[in-house]
Amino acid sequence: SKLAPLREEEQVASAILSRATVEREALDEAEARAGQAIQTLLARIAQLDRDIERESALNRDAGEVIARLEWERRELDKAGQGHEDRLGAAGSAAEEAAEALRAVEAKLAELTDESARLAARHQSAERLVHDLRQMQDRATRAAAEAEAAAARATDTGVEADAARAAAEEAQEKARDRVEAAEESLAEAEETRAALEAEESAARAARAEAEGEVSALNAEMAALKRLVERGQDGDSILDLVRVARGYETAFGAALGDDLGVGLADDGSGWHLLPGYDAPQMLPEGAEALAPHVDGPAALARR
């Protein structure tokens, strides 16, 4: 009377143990996949950190370029200050030199006429002409120097305008690079936030899986103790493996016979030849044979 309940309890425990074993294997595989996904995410986070460091270096370089361009622009502004005043002064000096030259030329003509009429004063007139010619030479040189200074001032102004335009263009390009770098940094921050969210979800899934594994381990330990209490170690259940999803059907089909072992004689499972004409299964029913791996003695059942 005590043996029947123990056999029933043994059958239920064996079915639960088989299911727990299959589920534990599936959870081990899921844990391995989760660990691999975590390693992949950590590698991607490290790559993002390196990208952020590179973008920061680019930002610093861009800041240095902008500061240098600002300094060059200020220097160009300083160099261009007073250019118009110097150009005006050079023009005024050239005008005064030309006026002086015209006056000298008029005076020279007057003195030449007077020299022709006054032979007695010829020597004095020649000295005066010589002096006037020296004055003319000085005035000519002054006018030439004034024109050269005006030309140099004009060239300097053109070069300053060109340099300023180039500096403004370089500054605009630097601003564009800084804006592009800021956009890249913002995208990297968004990607990093998404990856952190994915990592948190993966950690939560792993924690849940670990909790389930712990619960299943505890249940499996209890089932082992239950099986060891009423099992002699040589039942047919120890020799079979059932595909996932077919455990209940297998237990219902064999019932108490699961606890019986193989036997050459006496009570137990015996290897018998197959049926000459197997009984047809009801409509919709499926044979267990393709889903059970076990001794040949189970073939007829």
Side-chain angles (χ1 to χ4, degrees), residues 17-273:
L17 176 60
S18 177
R19 185 187 63 184
T21 301
V22 174
E23 291 180 353
R24 183 182 65 178
E25 293 175 353
L27 288 173
D28 290 340
E29 294 177 358
E31 181 181 8
R33 289 194 299 271
Q36 184 177 4
I38 289 173
Q39 294 300 322
T40 302
L41 291 174
L42 291 175
R44 293 174 62 186
I45 290 173
Q47 181 62 39
L48 285 174
D49 290 337
R50 291 192 293 272
D51 293 341
I52 290 173
E53 291 178 359
R54 184 176 66 255
E55 295 297 336
S56 299
L58 290 175
N59 287 339
R60 290 193 296 271
D61 294 342
E64 294 176 358
V65 171
I66 291 175
R68 187 174 65 254
L69 291 175
E70 289 291 343
W71 178 82
E72 292 178 356
R73 184 176 62 80
R74 291 193 297 269
E75 293 298 321
L76 289 173
D77 291 340
K78 292 179 182 179
Q81 292 177 358
H83 169 67
E84 296 295 336
D85 296 338
R86 291 194 297 272
L87 186 60
S92 299
E95 185 65 28
E96 291 177 358
E99 184 66 27
L101 180 58
R102 289 193 292 271
V104 169
E105 289 176 349
K107 186 64 175 177
L108 180 58
E110 180 182 352
L111 290 175
T112 301
D113 294 339
E114 184 179 0
S115 177
R117 292 191 302 268
L118 301 172
R121 299 176 64 184
H122 179 66
Q123 295 297 328
S124 178
E126 285 186 348
R127 285 195 300 271
L128 183 57
V129 168
H130 179 70
D131 294 337
L132 290 175
R133 285 178 177 174
Q134 290 180 348
M135 291 175 61
Q136 182 182 7
D137 293 337
R138 288 194 297 271
T140 301
R141 288 194 298 270
E145 291 175 358
E147 290 177 355
R152 288 194 300 272
T154 302
D155 295 339
T156 302
V158 171
E159 291 175 357
D161 291 338
R164 182 173 183 177
E168 290 176 350
E169 182 179 0
Q171 184 178 9
E172 188 66 22
K173 291 181 179 179
R175 287 198 184 98
D176 293 340
R177 288 179 60 191
V178 171
E179 292 176 358
E182 290 176 350
E183 292 177 359
S184 299
L185 181 59
E187 292 176 358
E189 289 293 339
E190 292 177 359
T191 304
R192 181 177 182 178
L195 290 175
E196 289 177 350
E198 292 179 2
E199 182 187 8
S200 298
R203 289 181 183 275
R206 181 178 181 179
E208 182 178 359
E210 290 176 349
E212 292 179 359
V213 169
S214 299
L216 289 174
N217 287 334
E219 182 179 355
M220 184 177 65
L223 290 174
K224 283 183 177 179
R225 289 193 299 271
L226 181 61
V227 170
E228 290 172 355
R229 186 178 62 191
Q231 186 175 0
D232 56 7
D234 57 356
S235 67
I236 195 69
L237 184 61
D238 296 329
L239 305 177
V240 299
R241 289 185 62 84
V242 184
R244 184 183 301 179
Y246 290 87
E247 301 91 343
T248 303
F250 182 71
L254 272 71
D256 293 341
D257 295 340
L258 287 171
V260 180
L262 295 174
D264 295 331
D265 56 8
S267 178
W269 287 89
H270 291 263
L271 180 62
L272 300 177

